[in-house]
Coordinates of all heavy atoms in Angstrom, one line a residue:
M1 N -3.2 -6.4 -27.2 CA -3.4 -5.4 -26.1 C -2.5 -5.7 -25.0 O -2.4 -6.9 -24.6 CB -4.9 -5.3 -25.7 CG -5.2 -4.4 -24.6 SD -6.4 -3.1 -24.7 CE -7.4 -3.4 -26.1
P2 N -1.9 -4.7 -24.3 CA -1.0 -5.0 -23.2 C -1.8 -5.6 -22.0 O -3.0 -5.4 -21.8 CB -0.5 -3.6 -22.8 CG -0.6 -2.8 -24.1 CD -1.8 -3.3 -24.8
L3 N -1.1 -6.3 -21.2 CA -1.7 -7.0 -20.0 C -1.0 -6.4 -18.8 O 0.2 -6.2 -18.8 CB -1.4 -8.5 -20.1 CG -2.0 -9.5 -19.2 CD1 -3.6 -9.4 -19.4 CD2 -1.5 -10.9 -19.4
Y4 N -1.8 -6.1 -17.8 CA -1.3 -5.5 -16.5 C -1.7 -6.3 -15.3 O -2.8 -6.8 -15.3 CB -1.8 -4.0 -16.4 CG -1.3 -3.1 -17.5 CD1 -2.0 -2.9 -18.7 CD2 -0.1 -2.5 -17.4 CE1 -1.5 -2.1 -19.7 CE2 0.4 -1.6 -18.4 CZ -0.3 -1.5 -19.5 OH 0.1 -0.7 -20.5
M5 N -0.9 -6.2 -14.3 CA -1.3 -6.8 -13.0 C -1.2 -5.6 -12.0 O -0.1 -4.9 -11.9 CB -0.3 -7.9 -12.5 CG -0.6 -8.4 -11.2 SD -2.1 -9.4 -11.0 CE -1.6 -10.9 -12.0
D6 N -2.3 -5.3 -11.3 CA -2.2 -4.2 -10.4 C -2.3 -4.8 -9.0 O -2.7 -5.9 -8.8 CB -3.2 -3.1 -10.6 CG -4.6 -3.4 -10.4 OD1 -4.9 -4.4 -9.6 OD2 -5.5 -2.7 -10.9
V7 N -1.8 -4.0 -8.0 CA -1.7 -4.5 -6.6 C -2.3 -3.4 -5.7 O -1.9 -2.2 -5.8 CB -0.3 -4.8 -6.2 CG1 -0.2 -5.3 -4.7 CG2 0.4 -5.7 -7.1
H8 N -3.3 -3.7 -4.9 CA -3.9 -2.8 -4.0 C -3.5 -3.3 -2.6 O -3.6 -4.5 -2.3 CB -5.4 -2.9 -4.0 CG -6.0 -2.6 -5.4 ND1 -6.5 -1.4 -5.7 CD2 -6.0 -3.4 -6.5 CE1 -7.0 -1.4 -7.0 NE2 -6.7 -2.6 -7.5
T9 N -3.2 -2.4 -1.7 CA -2.9 -2.8 -0.3 C -3.9 -2.0 0.6 O -3.9 -0.7 0.5 CB -1.5 -2.5 0.2 OG1 -0.6 -3.2 -0.7 CG2 -1.3 -2.9 1.6
I10 N -4.8 -2.7 1.3 CA -5.8 -2.1 2.1 C -5.4 -2.3 3.6 O -5.5 -3.4 4.1 CB -7.2 -2.7 1.9 CG1 -7.5 -2.8 0.4 CG2 -8.3 -1.9 2.6 CD1 -7.6 -1.5 -0.4
A11 N -4.9 -1.2 4.2 CA -4.3 -1.3 5.6 C -5.3 -1.9 6.6 O -4.9 -2.6 7.5 CB -3.8 0.1 6.0
E12 N -6.6 -1.6 6.4 CA -7.6 -2.0 7.4 C -8.0 -3.5 7.1 O -8.9 -4.0 7.8 CB -8.9 -1.2 7.3 CG -8.7 0.3 7.4 CD -8.2 0.9 6.1 OE1 -8.7 0.6 5.0 OE2 -7.3 1.8 6.1
G13 N -7.5 -4.1 6.1 CA -7.9 -5.4 5.7 C -9.0 -5.4 4.6 O -9.5 -4.3 4.3
V14 N -9.2 -6.5 4.0 CA -10.2 -6.6 2.9 C -11.0 -7.9 3.0 O -10.5 -8.9 3.5 CB -9.4 -6.5 1.5 CG1 -8.5 -7.7 1.4 CG2 -10.4 -6.4 0.4
A15 N -12.2 -7.8 2.6 CA -13.1 -9.0 2.6 C -13.4 -9.3 1.1 O -13.7 -8.4 0.3 CB -14.4 -8.7 3.3
M16 N -13.4 -10.6 0.9 CA -13.7 -11.1 -0.5 C -15.0 -10.5 -1.0 O -15.1 -10.1 -2.2 CB -13.7 -12.6 -0.5 CG -14.1 -13.2 -1.9 SD -12.9 -12.7 -3.2 CE -11.8 -14.1 -3.1
A17 N -16.0 -10.5 -0.2 CA -17.4 -10.0 -0.6 C -17.3 -8.6 -1.1 O -17.9 -8.2 -2.1 CB -18.4 -10.1 0.6
D18 N -16.4 -7.7 -0.5 CA -16.3 -6.3 -0.9 C -15.6 -6.3 -2.3 O -15.9 -5.5 -3.1 CB -15.5 -5.5 0.1 CG -16.3 -5.4 1.4 OD1 -17.5 -5.4 1.4 OD2 -15.6 -5.2 2.4
V19 N -14.6 -7.2 -2.5 CA -13.8 -7.2 -3.7 C -14.8 -7.7 -4.9 O -14.7 -7.1 -6.0 CB -12.6 -8.1 -3.6 CG1 -11.8 -8.1 -4.9 CG2 -11.7 -7.5 -2.5
V20 N -15.6 -8.6 -4.6 CA -16.6 -9.1 -5.6 C -17.4 -7.9 -6.1 O -17.6 -7.7 -7.3 CB -17.5 -10.2 -5.0 CG1 -18.7 -10.5 -6.0 CG2 -16.7 -11.5 -4.8
Q21 N -17.9 -7.1 -5.2 CA -18.7 -5.9 -5.6 C -17.9 -4.9 -6.3 O -18.4 -4.3 -7.3 CB -19.3 -5.3 -4.3 CG -20.4 -6.2 -3.6 CD -21.4 -6.7 -4.6 OE1 -22.0 -5.9 -5.3 NE2 -21.7 -8.0 -4.6
A22 N -16.6 -4.6 -5.9 CA -15.8 -3.7 -6.6 C -15.5 -4.2 -8.1 O -15.5 -3.4 -9.0 CB -14.5 -3.5 -5.9
H23 N -15.3 -5.5 -8.2 CA -15.0 -6.1 -9.5 C -16.3 -5.9 -10.4 O -16.1 -5.5 -11.6 CB -14.6 -7.5 -9.4 CG -14.4 -8.2 -10.7 ND1 -13.2 -7.8 -11.5 CD2 -15.0 -9.1 -11.5 CE1 -13.3 -8.6 -12.6 NE2 -14.3 -9.3 -12.6
K24 N -17.4 -6.1 -9.9 CA -18.7 -5.9 -10.7 C -18.8 -4.5 -11.2 O -19.2 -4.2 -12.3 CB -19.9 -6.3 -9.8 CG -20.1 -7.8 -9.6 CD -21.3 -8.1 -8.8 CE -21.5 -9.5 -8.6 NZ -22.6 -9.8 -7.7
A25 N -18.4 -3.5 -10.3 CA -18.4 -2.1 -10.7 C -17.4 -1.9 -11.8 O -17.6 -1.1 -12.7 CB -18.1 -1.2 -9.5
D26 N -16.2 -2.5 -11.7 CA -15.2 -2.4 -12.8 C -15.7 -2.8 -14.1 O -15.6 -2.1 -15.1 CB -13.9 -3.2 -12.4 CG -13.1 -2.6 -11.3 OD1 -13.1 -1.4 -11.1 OD2 -12.4 -3.4 -10.7
L27 N -16.4 -4.0 -14.1 CA -17.0 -4.5 -15.3 C -18.0 -3.5 -15.9 O -18.1 -3.5 -17.2 CB -17.6 -5.9 -15.1 CG -16.7 -7.0 -14.6 CD1 -17.5 -8.3 -14.3 CD2 -15.5 -7.2 -15.5
Q28 N -18.7 -2.8 -15.1 CA -19.7 -1.8 -15.6 C -19.1 -0.6 -16.3 O -19.7 0.0 -17.1 CB -20.7 -1.4 -14.5 CG -21.5 -2.5 -14.0 CD -22.4 -2.1 -12.8 OE1 -22.2 -1.1 -12.2 NE2 -23.3 -3.0 -12.5
H29 N -17.8 -0.3 -15.8 CA -17.2 0.9 -16.3 C -16.1 0.7 -17.4 O -15.6 1.6 -18.0 CB -16.5 1.7 -15.1 CG -17.5 2.4 -14.3 ND1 -18.2 1.7 -13.3 CD2 -18.0 3.6 -14.2 CE1 -19.0 2.5 -12.7 NE2 -18.9 3.7 -13.2
Q30 N -15.6 -0.5 -17.5 CA -14.4 -0.8 -18.3 C -14.6 -0.5 -19.8 O -13.6 -0.1 -20.5 CB -14.0 -2.3 -18.1 CG -14.9 -3.3 -18.6 CD -14.5 -4.7 -18.3 OE1 -13.6 -4.9 -17.5 NE2 -15.2 -5.7 -18.9
G31 N -15.8 -0.7 -20.3 CA -16.0 -0.5 -21.8 C -15.7 0.9 -22.3 O -15.2 1.1 -23.4
R32 N -15.9 1.9 -21.4 CA -15.6 3.3 -21.8 C -14.1 3.6 -22.0 O -13.8 4.6 -22.7 CB -16.1 4.3 -20.7 CG -17.5 4.2 -20.4 CD -17.9 5.2 -19.3 NE -19.1 4.7 -18.6 CZ -19.4 5.0 -17.4 NH1 -18.7 5.8 -16.7 NH2 -20.5 4.4 -16.9
H33 N -13.3 2.7 -21.5 CA -11.8 2.9 -21.6 C -11.1 1.8 -22.4 O -9.9 1.8 -22.4 CB -11.2 3.0 -20.2 CG -11.8 4.1 -19.4 ND1 -11.3 5.4 -19.5 CD2 -12.8 4.2 -18.5 CE1 -12.0 6.2 -18.7 NE2 -12.9 5.5 -18.1
D34 N -11.9 1.0 -23.1 CA -11.4 -0.1 -23.9 C -10.5 -1.0 -23.0 O -9.4 -1.5 -23.4 CB -10.6 0.4 -25.1 CG -10.3 -0.7 -26.1 OD1 -11.1 -1.7 -26.2 OD2 -9.3 -0.6 -26.8
V35 N -11.0 -1.3 -21.8 CA -10.3 -2.1 -20.8 C -11.1 -3.4 -20.5 O -12.3 -3.4 -20.6 CB -10.2 -1.3 -19.5 CG1 -9.7 -2.1 -18.3 CG2 -9.2 -0.1 -19.7
S36 N -10.4 -4.4 -20.2 CA -11.1 -5.7 -19.8 C -10.4 -6.3 -18.5 O -9.3 -6.8 -18.6 CB -11.0 -6.7 -21.0 OG -11.7 -7.9 -20.6
Y37 N -11.1 -6.1 -17.4 CA -10.7 -6.7 -16.2 C -11.0 -8.2 -16.2 O -12.1 -8.6 -16.4 CB -11.3 -6.0 -15.0 CG -10.5 -4.8 -14.5 CD1 -10.7 -3.6 -15.1 CD2 -9.4 -5.0 -13.6 CE1 -9.9 -2.5 -14.7 CE2 -8.7 -3.9 -13.3 CZ -8.9 -2.7 -13.8 OH -8.1 -1.6 -13.5
L38 N -9.9 -9.0 -16.2 CA -10.0 -10.5 -16.5 C -10.2 -11.3 -15.2 O -11.1 -12.2 -15.2 CB -8.8 -10.9 -17.2 CG -8.5 -10.2 -18.5 CD1 -7.2 -10.6 -19.1 CD2 -9.6 -10.4 -19.5
R39 N -9.4 -11.1 -14.2 CA -9.4 -11.9 -13.0 C -8.8 -11.1 -11.8 O -8.2 -10.1 -12.0 CB -8.5 -13.2 -13.2 CG -8.9 -14.1 -14.3 CD -8.1 -15.3 -14.3 NE -8.3 -16.0 -13.1 CZ -8.1 -17.3 -12.9 NH1 -7.7 -18.0 -13.9 NH2 -8.3 -17.9 -11.7
Y40 N -9.1 -11.6 -10.7 CA -8.5 -11.0 -9.5 C -8.3 -12.0 -8.4 O -8.9 -13.1 -8.4 CB -9.4 -9.9 -8.9 CG -10.8 -10.3 -8.6 CD1 -11.1 -10.8 -7.3 CD2 -11.8 -10.4 -9.5 CE1 -12.4 -11.2 -6.9 CE2 -13.1 -10.8 -9.1 CZ -13.4 -11.2 -7.8 OH -14.6 -11.7 -7.5
W41 N -7.4 -11.7 -7.5 CA -7.0 -12.6 -6.4 C -7.0 -11.7 -5.1 O -6.7 -10.5 -5.2 CB -5.6 -13.2 -6.6 CG -5.5 -14.0 -7.8 CD1 -5.6 -15.4 -7.8 CD2 -5.3 -13.7 -9.1 NE1 -5.4 -15.9 -9.1 CE2 -5.2 -14.8 -9.9 CE3 -5.1 -12.4 -9.8 CZ2 -5.0 -14.8 -11.3 CZ3 -4.9 -12.4 -11.1 CH2 -4.8 -13.6 -11.9
V42 N -7.4 -12.3 -4.0 CA -7.5 -11.6 -2.8 C -6.7 -12.3 -1.7 O -6.9 -13.5 -1.5 CB -9.0 -11.5 -2.4 CG1 -9.1 -10.7 -1.0 CG2 -9.8 -10.7 -3.5
D43 N -5.9 -11.6 -0.9 CA -5.3 -12.1 0.3 C -5.9 -11.3 1.4 O -5.5 -10.2 1.8 CB -3.8 -11.9 0.2 CG -3.0 -12.4 1.4 OD1 -3.7 -12.6 2.5 OD2 -1.8 -12.6 1.3
E44 N -7.0 -11.8 2.0 CA -7.7 -11.1 3.0 C -6.8 -10.8 4.3 O -6.9 -9.7 4.8 CB -8.9 -11.9 3.5 CG -10.0 -12.0 2.5 CD -11.2 -12.8 2.9 OE1 -11.1 -14.0 3.3 OE2 -12.4 -12.2 2.9
S45 N -6.0 -11.8 4.7 CA -5.2 -11.6 5.9 C -4.2 -10.5 5.7 O -3.8 -9.9 6.7 CB -4.6 -12.9 6.3 OG -3.6 -13.3 5.3
Q46 N -3.7 -10.3 4.5 CA -2.7 -9.3 4.3 C -3.2 -8.0 3.7 O -2.5 -7.0 3.5 CB -1.6 -9.8 3.4 CG -0.8 -10.9 3.9 CD 0.0 -10.5 5.1 OE1 0.7 -9.5 5.1 NE2 -0.1 -11.3 6.2
G47 N -4.6 -8.0 3.4 CA -5.2 -6.8 2.9 C -4.7 -6.5 1.5 O -4.6 -5.3 1.1
R48 N -4.5 -7.5 0.7 CA -4.0 -7.3 -0.7 C -5.0 -7.8 -1.7 O -5.6 -8.9 -1.6 CB -2.7 -7.9 -0.9 CG -1.6 -7.3 0.0 CD -0.3 -7.1 -0.8 NE 0.6 -6.3 0.0 CZ 1.4 -6.7 0.9 NH1 1.5 -7.9 1.2 NH2 2.2 -5.8 1.5
I49 N -5.1 -7.1 -2.8 CA -5.9 -7.4 -4.0 C -5.0 -7.3 -5.2 O -4.2 -6.3 -5.3 CB -7.1 -6.5 -4.1 CG1 -7.9 -6.4 -2.9 CG2 -7.9 -6.9 -5.3 CD1 -8.8 -5.2 -2.8
F50 N -5.1 -8.3 -6.1 CA -4.3 -8.3 -7.3 C -5.3 -8.5 -8.5 O -6.2 -9.3 -8.5 CB -3.4 -9.5 -7.3 CG -2.5 -9.6 -6.2 CD1 -2.9 -10.2 -5.0 CD2 -1.2 -9.1 -6.2 CE1 -2.1 -10.3 -3.9 CE2 -0.4 -9.1 -5.1 CZ -0.8 -9.8 -3.9
C51 N -5.2 -7.6 -9.5 CA -6.1 -7.6 -10.6 C -5.3 -7.8 -11.9 O -4.3 -7.1 -12.1 CB -6.9 -6.2 -10.7 SG -7.8 -5.8 -9.2
L52 N -5.8 -8.6 -12.7 CA -5.3 -8.8 -14.1 C -6.2 -8.2 -15.1 O -7.4 -8.4 -15.1 CB -5.2 -10.3 -14.4 CG -4.5 -10.7 -15.7 CD1 -3.0 -10.3 -15.7 CD2 -4.6 -12.2 -15.9
V53 N -5.6 -7.3 -15.9 CA -6.4 -6.5 -16.8 C -5.7 -6.3 -18.2 O -4.5 -6.1 -18.2 CB -6.7 -5.1 -16.1 CG1 -5.4 -4.4 -15.8 CG2 -7.5 -4.2 -17.0
E54 N -6.5 -6.4 -19.2 CA -6.0 -6.0 -20.6 C -6.5 -4.5 -20.7 O -7.6 -4.2 -20.5 CB -6.7 -6.8 -21.6 CG -6.2 -8.2 -21.8 CD -6.8 -9.0 -22.9 OE1 -8.0 -8.7 -23.2 OE2 -6.2 -9.8 -23.5
A55 N -5.5 -3.7 -21.1 CA -5.8 -2.3 -21.2 C -4.8 -1.6 -22.2 O -3.7 -2.1 -22.4 CB -5.7 -1.6 -19.9
P56 N -5.3 -0.6 -22.9 CA -4.3 0.1 -23.8 C -3.2 0.8 -23.1 O -2.1 1.0 -23.6 CB -5.2 1.1 -24.5 CG -6.4 1.3 -23.7 CD -6.6 0.0 -22.9
S57 N -3.4 1.1 -21.8 CA -2.4 1.7 -21.0 C -2.7 1.5 -19.5 O -3.8 1.2 -19.1 CB -2.3 3.2 -21.2 OG -3.5 3.8 -20.8
A58 N -1.7 1.7 -18.6 CA -1.9 1.6 -17.2 C -2.8 2.7 -16.8 O -3.7 2.5 -15.9 CB -0.5 1.8 -16.5
E59 N -2.8 3.8 -17.4 CA -3.7 4.9 -17.0 C -5.1 4.6 -17.3 O -6.0 5.0 -16.5 CB -3.3 6.2 -17.8 CG -1.9 6.8 -17.4 CD -0.7 6.0 -18.0 OE1 -0.9 5.2 -19.0 OE2 0.4 6.3 -17.5
A60 N -5.4 3.9 -18.4 CA -6.8 3.5 -18.7 C -7.3 2.5 -17.7 O -8.4 2.6 -17.2 CB -6.8 2.9 -20.1
A61 N -6.4 1.6 -17.2 CA -6.8 0.6 -16.2 C -7.1 1.4 -14.9 O -8.1 1.1 -14.2 CB -5.7 -0.4 -16.0
T62 N -6.3 2.3 -14.6 CA -6.5 3.1 -13.3 C -7.8 3.9 -13.4 O -8.5 4.0 -12.4 CB -5.3 4.0 -13.1 OG1 -4.1 3.2 -12.9 CG2 -5.5 4.9 -11.9
A63 N -8.1 4.5 -14.6 CA -9.3 5.3 -14.7 C -10.5 4.5 -14.4 O -11.5 5.0 -13.8 CB -9.4 5.9 -16.1
V64 N -10.6 3.2 -14.8 CA -11.7 2.3 -14.5 C -11.9 2.2 -13.0 O -13.0 2.4 -12.5 CB -11.6 1.0 -15.2 CG1 -12.7 0.0 -14.8 CG2 -11.6 1.1 -16.7
H65 N -10.8 1.8 -12.3 CA -10.9 1.7 -10.9 C -11.4 3.0 -10.2 O -12.3 3.0 -9.3 CB -9.6 1.3 -10.3 CG -9.2 -0.1 -10.3 ND1 -10.2 -1.1 -10.3 CD2 -8.0 -0.7 -10.2 CE1 -9.5 -2.3 -10.3 NE2 -8.2 -2.1 -10.3
R66 N -10.8 4.1 -10.7 CA -11.2 5.4 -10.1 C -12.7 5.7 -10.3 O -13.4 6.1 -9.3 CB -10.3 6.5 -10.7 CG -10.6 7.9 -10.1 CD -9.7 9.0 -10.6 NE -8.3 8.7 -10.3 CZ -7.3 8.4 -11.2 NH1 -7.6 8.3 -12.5 NH2 -6.1 8.2 -10.8
E67 N -13.2 5.5 -11.5 CA -14.6 5.8 -11.7 C -15.5 4.8 -11.1 O -16.6 5.1 -10.7 CB -14.8 5.8 -13.3 CG -14.2 6.9 -14.0 CD -14.3 6.9 -15.5 OE1 -15.1 6.0 -16.0 OE2 -13.6 7.6 -16.1
A68 N -15.1 3.5 -11.0 CA -16.0 2.4 -10.5 C -16.2 2.5 -9.0 O -17.3 2.3 -8.5 CB -15.5 1.1 -11.0
H69 N -15.1 2.7 -8.3 CA -15.2 2.6 -6.8 C -14.1 3.5 -6.1 O -14.2 3.5 -4.9 CB -15.1 1.2 -6.4 CG -14.0 0.4 -7.0 ND1 -12.7 0.7 -6.9 CD2 -14.1 -0.6 -8.0 CE1 -12.0 -0.2 -7.6 NE2 -12.8 -0.9 -8.3
G70 N -13.2 4.1 -6.8 CA -12.2 4.9 -6.2 C -11.0 4.2 -5.6 O -10.1 4.9 -5.1
L71 N -11.0 2.9 -5.6 CA -9.9 2.2 -5.0 C -8.8 1.9 -6.1 O -8.7 0.9 -6.7 CB -10.3 0.9 -4.4 CG -11.4 1.0 -3.3 CD1 -11.9 -0.4 -2.9 CD2 -10.7 1.6 -2.1
V72 N -8.0 2.9 -6.3 CA -6.9 2.8 -7.3 C -5.8 2.0 -6.7 O -5.5 1.9 -5.5 CB -6.4 4.2 -7.8 CG1 -7.5 4.9 -8.5 CG2 -5.8 5.0 -6.7
A73 N -5.0 1.3 -7.6 CA -4.0 0.4 -7.2 C -2.8 1.2 -6.7 O -2.5 2.3 -7.1 CB -3.5 -0.4 -8.4
D74 N -2.0 0.6 -5.8 CA -0.8 1.2 -5.3 C 0.3 1.0 -6.3 O 1.2 1.9 -6.4 CB -0.4 0.5 -4.0 CG -1.4 0.7 -2.9 OD1 -1.7 1.8 -2.6 OD2 -1.9 -0.3 -2.4
Q75 N 0.3 -0.1 -7.0 CA 1.3 -0.4 -8.1 C 0.6 -1.1 -9.2 O -0.4 -1.8 -9.1 CB 2.3 -1.4 -7.5 CG 3.2 -0.8 -6.4 CD 4.1 -1.9 -5.8 OE1 3.7 -2.8 -5.3 NE2 5.4 -1.6 -6.0
I76 N 1.1 -0.9 -10.4 CA 0.6 -1.5 -11.6 C 1.8 -1.9 -12.5 O 2.7 -1.1 -12.7 CB -0.4 -0.7 -12.4 CG1 -1.0 -1.5 -13.5 CG2 0.1 0.6 -12.8 CD1 -2.3 -0.9 -14.1
F77 N 1.9 -3.1 -13.0 CA 3.0 -3.7 -13.7 C 2.5 -4.2 -15.1 O 1.5 -4.9 -15.1 CB 3.7 -4.8 -13.0 CG 4.1 -4.5 -11.6 CD1 3.3 -4.7 -10.5 CD2 5.3 -3.8 -11.4 CE1 3.7 -4.4 -9.2 CE2 5.7 -3.5 -10.1 CZ 4.9 -3.8 -9.0
Q78 N 3.2 -3.9 -16.1 CA 2.9 -4.5 -17.4 C 3.5 -5.9 -17.4 O 4.7 -6.0 -17.0 CB 3.4 -3.7 -18.6 CG 3.0 -4.3 -19.9 CD 3.2 -3.4 -21.1 OE1 3.6 -2.2 -20.9 NE2 3.0 -3.9 -22.3
V79 N 2.8 -6.9 -17.7 CA 3.2 -8.3 -17.6 C 3.0 -9.1 -18.9 O 2.2 -8.6 -19.7 CB 2.5 -9.1 -16.4 CG1 2.9 -8.4 -15.1 CG2 1.0 -9.1 -16.6
Q80 N 3.7 -10.2 -19.0 CA 3.5 -11.1 -20.1 C 3.1 -12.5 -19.5 O 3.7 -12.9 -18.5 CB 4.8 -11.3 -20.9 CG 5.2 -10.0 -21.6 CD 6.5 -10.2 -22.4 OE1 7.1 -11.2 -22.3 NE2 6.8 -9.2 -23.2
E81 N 2.1 -13.1 -20.1 CA 1.7 -14.4 -19.6 C 2.6 -15.5 -20.0 O 3.0 -15.5 -21.2 CB 0.2 -14.6 -20.1 CG -0.4 -15.9 -19.4 CD -1.8 -16.0 -19.8 OE1 -2.4 -15.2 -20.5 OE2 -2.4 -17.0 -19.2
G82 N 2.9 -16.4 -19.1 CA 3.7 -17.6 -19.4 C 2.9 -18.8 -19.0 O 1.9 -18.7 -18.4
S83 N 3.5 -19.9 -19.3 CA 2.9 -21.2 -18.9 C 3.9 -22.1 -18.1 O 5.0 -21.9 -18.1 CB 2.3 -21.9 -20.1 OG 3.4 -22.2 -21.0

């Protein structure tokens, strides 16, 4: 399954506690789209959130965010994991 990294920019800033709740909502909705949100990173000072997701398509990953909390990513990139 393809792997994607999405990037959200929240102009007003972002708090880790809010991202935790959004991620929980993603987990509740992801099964409908054959998506698996794996990890996320937060830069509170810059208002940025990065999500790593396995999904059949970028559109499927976006659909989960849209349904779960409405905070769709500004950018989404198909990536390959390296070590």
Side-chain angles (χ1 to χ4, degrees):
M1 174 124 16
L3 192 62
Y4 296 91
M5 177 72 70
D6 72 21
V7 182
H8 304 256
T9 303
I10 312 296
E12 309 81 40
V14 63
M16 178 62 91
D18 293 333
V19 179
V20 168
Q21 293 307 310
H23 181 69
K24 287 180 182 178
D26 288 332
L27 297 180
Q28 293 174 348
H29 289 83
Q30 66 185 9
R32 296 180 211 158
H33 298 278
D34 195 26
V35 167
S36 182
Y37 272 89
L38 303 172
R39 297 187 62 157
Y40 60 91
W41 297 263
V42 179
D43 180 342
E44 289 179 306
S45 66
Q46 296 296 312
R48 293 223 168 88
I49 306 163
F50 306 87
C51 303
L52 183 65
V53 56
E54 284 182 330
S57 66
E59 293 78 14
T62 298
V64 173
H65 277 335
R66 184 177 294 113
E67 291 174 13
H69 44 68
L71 298 173
V72 297
D74 300 302
Q75 297 175 295
I76 186 165
F77 305 95
Q78 187 170 351
V79 297
Q80 294 178 352
E81 188 172 1
S83 59

